[in-house]
Amino acid sequence: MDSDNEGDAPLMRARWGSEDNLPQPEEVPGLNKIIEQLRQEIGSWCKARPEASTLDLEGLYEELRQLDTKETSLLPKDNKNEYYNKYAPKPAALMLRDAKRDEIVRGFDPRKQLLRSRALDLSRDKLQPRNITDLPVEILNNIFKDLQEDAIPGDHQEVRWSGFTSNTVYSRKLRRAVGRIRLVCRTFCELTSQFMFPLIRLQVNQSSLGLLEKVSRNPRMAEGVKGFQISLGYRPQEYADDIAQFAAPLLVWLEKFTFDADCELDSYTSGVVPEDEIEEAEQTRLAALSDAVTTSRSMLSEWRSYLGAAAPRAAVTKHQKLLQRTHAEYRRLHLEQHQLLRDGTFAVRVAQAAARMSYARSISFVDSWDEGYWDFWKEFLNHKQPSRTMLFPARWTDLEDHARVAPEISTAKLLWQLPIAMRKASAPLREIDINVFPRYSNFSMLRPVNQAGEPVWDELAKACEQLRVLEVSVGNETGIRYFPLAGEDKANIDGFLSSILSRCSQTLRILELDITPLGVNTGTGTDVQESYYHVGAILGVLGGLPKFRRVYLNSVDLDQSDLDALTTKVGPSFEDLDMFRVRLLNGGSWADTIDTWRQRVAEAAKHSLGPKQNSRWRVEVSHLLGGCLDESRPRRWTSWYFGEEGSGETEILGDEIKKYVSGQRETNPLRPFSA
């Protein structure tokens, strides 16, 4: 049976009982004679056609069309539906003819090959070699779209900074590939230049500014820039003045590298990895790693000897001289950074470059780039010259957690200097992504001031009037505090975030607040008693939110009125409500809150114009706290699971809340747990 009819096999079995009982076709008398007659007819037709050598190019193509027409007329297609609709096999003549089809039409092949060969000979002088550079620009554009950075979505949507941060190695390889493609020809250069620097990583130094300004003055490259990632890593005065403080983190690095490398080498020398399974390239790398461990130990010993000596110290060994040269270069870089920050030069030059880039309206602030010591050990242990790894700016967490006295981190001022400078340059920001934030000190750096040192909160508010996205994702890598914030410090935090949000309600689409490190653990020992940062004053400045789509709150405290006001202000575009470790205070009720959410979802569904009425108000919640949830009642928290100990009943609280809010569940899942 024809393979196209296999889908009807169940129906045929239902009618005839089994495939064995299907009616069997009878042999068709004289079928072979008919096929032989067709072959003869094909041969006679081909002989009657004009000689290929007498035809010009147009005549050859016409003859090929005539041949195709003749082939079709000799082998007409049968109407399959005539047989399939009856759930019966094809007649034997059709089945056998199909089996002989290829054999029959093979009689046309010599004629086809002759015509095509003659046509190729006649057109050879007119043929031109074609390659990818001859494709239309529209097709080339579609091909080169695959060179776009993954963090850049289409249709001018928000930059996904988290994707860019986690794929910096991929981004460098992509940039190198684009650079090679640009060298192919002028057309390729024009089409791919926009993919060269879609997101530019900047440090506070002259080298970064030089690159940025060159890109901004290249129209094709500038057109492709969507934003900047600014490293706020800092080279403090204390490190520049004292070589011992400068060397302290480098010694920690060397100790860690030596320990980790020893562990890896031991796994090979101890037989954990059989010697015959170690490839030649791996053996070469292990030999280099072993030499590096020897160098690292020498550095540790010689640097400690040098730093332990009384001032003035005399550098004797090559490693001690390297430390001196490295510290001298660090002092130069500190001075350069200090000068760029002192009068706001860095922010002004970035803003001026952004004004020459039509789409560069997104900024991500990160700590010093920690690219991992393991990938740079060869560079770090180069005893001939200071490596860039040794000269990396210090991370905020290291400065605040490990310094004897937390230094002034001047790069924090860029959190407000850049938005204000970009507004003045007529390049107002649309997206701000903040991944670094003070935790113990330097909160005063969040307060925008003019040249006279007077607060200018309103300037920051004006700078963010067109803001679409604010993401503050500090996370909990550094843990939380062990003492409350001072009143002035909290006022600076509230003032900073409130100013950003105070005038952008009409344009704001996404708000994410994950400020876990600002929480406080007031317990002792294993008795953890956490409280989170209260964001009521921050959310309270928001007005109506007609374009608001998503809110994500992590590790924050709220009053019931704050939460109710937020959910009341959102408009018909709202989609995602995501909360993790959110505590309701002052008599709030989570059970009442999700009742309100359920009503809002029902209202949104009624007014939805599209077919996906349940797509609005996607709710994701986990680890809800306070809000009249009975803290004393035995229960079990395991990720998203919430239930009574020993009851054998464990509810997936997040899923049940989603079902209730969307109308798929009738009873409120939080009522049983309310006090």
Side-chain angles (χ1 to χ4, degrees):
M1 212 179 319
D2 195 297
S3 61
D4 292 340
N5 199 24
E6 291 178 358
D8 293 324
L11 294 173
M12 296 173 67
R13 284 194 297 269
R15 179 170 181 177
W16 301 102
S18 72
E19 294 186 15
D20 294 336
N21 296 330
L22 291 174
Q24 298 300 314
E26 298 179 359
E27 290 291 336
V28 178
L31 181 61
N32 290 334
K33 184 177 180 180
I34 295 172
I35 293 174
E36 182 60 31
Q37 290 175 349
L38 286 173
R39 289 199 187 100
Q40 292 177 4
E41 183 179 348
I42 291 171
S44 300
W45 183 87
C46 290
K47 289 179 181 179
R49 304 305 298 171
E51 287 290 333
S53 59
T54 64
L55 299 173
D56 59 10
L57 191 60
E58 184 176 350
L60 290 168
Y61 288 139
E62 177 60 30
E63 190 64 18
L64 283 169
R65 284 193 289 270
Q66 291 290 336
L67 189 150
D68 289 338
T69 302
K70 181 63 176 177
E71 181 178 333
T72 303
S73 68
L74 289 177
L75 298 172
K77 293 183 178 180
D78 56 278
N79 184 2
K80 295 183 178 182
N81 289 333
E82 179 182 347
Y83 306 100
Y84 290 172
N85 291 341
K86 299 176 182 178
Y87 307 112
K90 288 182 180 180
L94 296 178
M95 294 175 65
L96 293 174
R97 192 197 66 187
D98 288 347
K100 298 285 185 178
R101 187 184 298 268
D102 292 340
E103 186 178 335
I104 294 170
V105 299
R106 205 170 292 134
F108 289 107
D109 288 352
R111 177 73 177 173
K112 285 182 182 179
Q113 293 173 3
L114 181 62
L115 293 171
R116 289 169 179 168
S117 176
R118 176 62 179 166
L120 180 62
D121 290 339
L122 292 178
S123 59
R124 193 179 304 278
D125 293 339
K126 299 179 181 180
L127 294 176
Q128 296 180 0
R130 298 289 182 179
N131 55 44
I132 190 173
T133 59
D134 299 311
L135 291 174
V137 171
E138 294 80 3
I139 295 177
L140 289 174
N141 269 325
N142 287 332
I143 294 173
F144 292 143
K145 280 181 180 178
D146 288 339
L147 295 173
Q148 184 61 278
E149 164 67 47
D150 287 346
I152 305 292
D155 302 325
H156 300 289
Q157 296 296 312
E158 297 81 15
V159 175
R160 294 187 290 263
W161 281 109
S162 58
F164 178 69
T165 304
S166 60
N167 289 286
T168 52
V169 174
Y170 168 77
S171 299
R172 286 196 295 269
K173 291 181 179 179
L174 185 63
R175 187 164 60 250
R176 286 196 293 268
V178 173
R180 289 192 291 267
I181 293 172
R182 292 177 68 242
L183 298 176
V184 173
C185 63
R186 180 175 297 177
T187 300
F188 279 24
C189 182
E190 292 176 353
L191 295 177
T192 60
S193 290
Q194 60 178 310
F195 304 117
M196 192 69 182
F197 295 100
L199 300 171
I200 301 180
R201 305 180 82 195
L202 300 173
Q203 290 187 350
V204 185
N205 58 35
Q206 293 286 359
S207 176
S208 287
L209 287 174
L211 170 64
L212 176 64
E213 289 169 346
K214 285 182 180 179
V215 173
S216 71
R217 289 187 169 87
N218 183 314
R220 292 190 176 89
M221 284 188 183
E223 182 184 4
V225 179
K226 301 300 188 295
F228 316 114
Q229 186 181 75
I230 314 291
S231 168
L232 299 185
Y234 187 57
R235 296 184 177 91
Q237 180 76 44
E238 290 80 359
Y239 284 22
D241 291 343
D242 185 356
I243 193 171
Q245 288 199 52
F246 164 75
L250 301 182
L251 292 171
V252 172
W253 188 96
L254 287 171
E255 290 171 351
K256 179 172 174 54
F257 168 78
T258 304
F259 177 81
D260 290 345
D262 272 338
C263 290
E264 182 177 0
L265 292 170
D266 287 346
S267 68
Y268 287 89
T269 58
S270 63
V272 174
V273 180
E275 186 174 350
D276 57 354
E277 294 183 8
I278 305 177
E279 297 180 356
E280 183 176 350
E282 182 67 3
Q283 290 177 350
T284 302
R285 188 188 72 85
L286 292 174
L289 187 62
S290 179
D291 292 341
V293 171
T294 302
T295 301
S296 178
R297 288 199 174 98
S298 297
M299 278 187 172
L300 282 168
S301 175
E302 294 175 17
W303 286 6
R304 285 169 177 159
S305 174
Y306 173 78
L307 296 171
R313 303 179 179 92
V316 178
T317 68
K318 62 181 180 181
H319 295 318
Q320 292 173 352
K321 293 177 180 179
L322 173 64
L323 180 60
Q324 276 191 339
R325 293 196 302 272
T326 303
H327 186 239
E329 177 64 11
Y330 188 91
R331 286 200 306 270
R332 186 191 69 79
L333 292 172
H334 158 76
L335 182 60
E336 177 183 294
Q337 187 181 58
H338 177 70
Q339 290 173 341
L340 289 172
L341 293 170
R342 182 177 55 191
D343 55 2
T345 301
F346 180 83
V348 170
R349 290 175 64 180
V350 171
Q352 290 172 345
R356 295 189 286 268
M357 304 173 177
S358 302
Y359 303 107
R361 301 296 181 265
S362 179
I363 282 188
S364 175
F365 296 101
V366 297
D367 207 338
S368 180
W369 295 321
D370 183 4
E371 305 197 42
Y373 73 92
W374 197 258
D375 295 332
F376 296 99
W377 55 269
K378 291 182 180 179
E379 180 186 3
F380 189 101
L381 297 172
N382 181 358
H383 60 272
K384 297 179 181 179
Q385 59 184 4
S387 70
R388 67 189 186 99
T389 315
M390 290 182 177
L391 298 168
F392 275 156
R395 294 172 59 86
W396 285 21
T397 50
D398 294 335
L399 292 175
E400 288 199 320
D401 290 350
H402 305 305
R404 300 188 191 104
V405 178
E408 180 182 280
I409 304 177
S410 299
T411 48
K413 295 179 181 179
L414 291 175
L415 291 170
W416 55 266
Q417 284 182 344
L418 269 168
I420 293 175
M422 290 189 69
R423 173 181 173 268
K424 291 180 178 179
S426 300
L429 283 172
R430 296 192 183 97
E431 303 170 24
I432 297 178
D433 175 56
I434 299 175
N435 295 277
V436 56
F437 211 75
R439 186 161 69 103
Y440 288 126
S441 59
N442 286 284
F443 296 106
S444 62
M445 296 291 175
L446 299 174
R447 183 173 62 248
V449 295
N450 57 21
Q451 292 184 346
E454 301 167 338
V456 286
W457 294 110
D458 195 54
E459 288 294 314
L460 180 58
K462 291 178 182 178
C464 300
E465 284 180 336
Q466 299 183 31
L467 198 67
R468 298 177 183 178
V469 178
L470 175 62
E471 297 180 352
V472 184
S473 303
V474 185
N476 59 355
E477 295 181 2
T478 58
I480 63 175
R481 301 162 53 89
Y482 286 91
F483 51 89
L485 285 163
E488 183 181 357
D489 293 339
K490 189 175 189 311
N492 285 323
I493 297 171
D494 284 348
F496 173 72
L497 295 175
S498 298
S499 296
I500 292 176
L501 293 173
S502 61
R503 297 195 181 187
C504 62
S505 297
Q506 295 299 308
T507 58
L508 191 65
R509 299 177 182 179
I510 296 174
L511 174 61
E512 296 190 4
L513 293 178
D514 178 1
I515 46 179
T516 305
L518 298 181
V520 180
N521 176 14
T522 57
T524 57
T526 58
D527 181 21
V528 178
Q529 299 179 16
E530 293 180 345
S531 64
Y532 302 117
Y533 191 88
H534 198 291
V535 295
I538 299 169
L539 299 181
V541 301
L542 292 169
L545 299 163
K547 297 182 179 180
F548 202 45
R549 296 203 316 258
R550 167 176 165 78
V551 61
Y552 171 64
L553 301 176
N554 186 341
S555 302
V556 299
D557 286 347
L558 280 170
D559 288 344
Q560 182 74 57
S561 57
D562 302 324
L563 187 55
D564 290 345
L566 177 64
T567 54
T568 301
K569 294 172 182 176
V570 301
S573 299
F574 190 68
E575 296 176 358
D576 290 343
L577 179 66
D578 200 342
M579 295 187 178
F580 179 74
R581 280 203 305 251
V582 176
R583 177 182 282 107
L584 275 185
L585 302 176
N586 301 324
S589 170
W590 280 117
D592 292 342
T593 297
I594 67 170
D595 282 339
T596 302
W597 294 350
R598 180 184 173 95
Q599 294 173 5
R600 292 303 308 274
V601 170
E603 293 171 2
K606 290 179 181 178
H607 297 91
S608 176
L609 299 178
K612 298 181 179 180
Q613 293 189 356
N614 291 329
S615 64
R616 301 298 186 190
W617 275 74
R618 184 187 68 87
V619 175
E620 296 284 353
V621 295
S622 180
H623 289 72
L624 303 179
L625 302 168
C628 294
L629 292 180
D630 188 352
E631 298 291 332
S632 63
R633 183 174 179 179
R635 65 187 187 279
R636 177 173 150 197
W637 277 98
T638 307
S639 184
W640 289 57
Y641 293 88
F642 183 53
E644 291 191 39
E645 288 283 6
S647 65
E649 176 186 351
T650 303
E651 289 188 282
I652 306 177
L653 182 60
D655 288 345
E656 294 307 311
I657 290 176
K658 284 195 294 184
K659 290 178 182 178
Y660 177 68
V661 170
S662 64
Q664 300 176 41
R665 170 179 170 143
E666 293 301 322
T667 59
N668 188 324
L670 293 184
R671 291 295 178 194
F673 304 105
S674 297

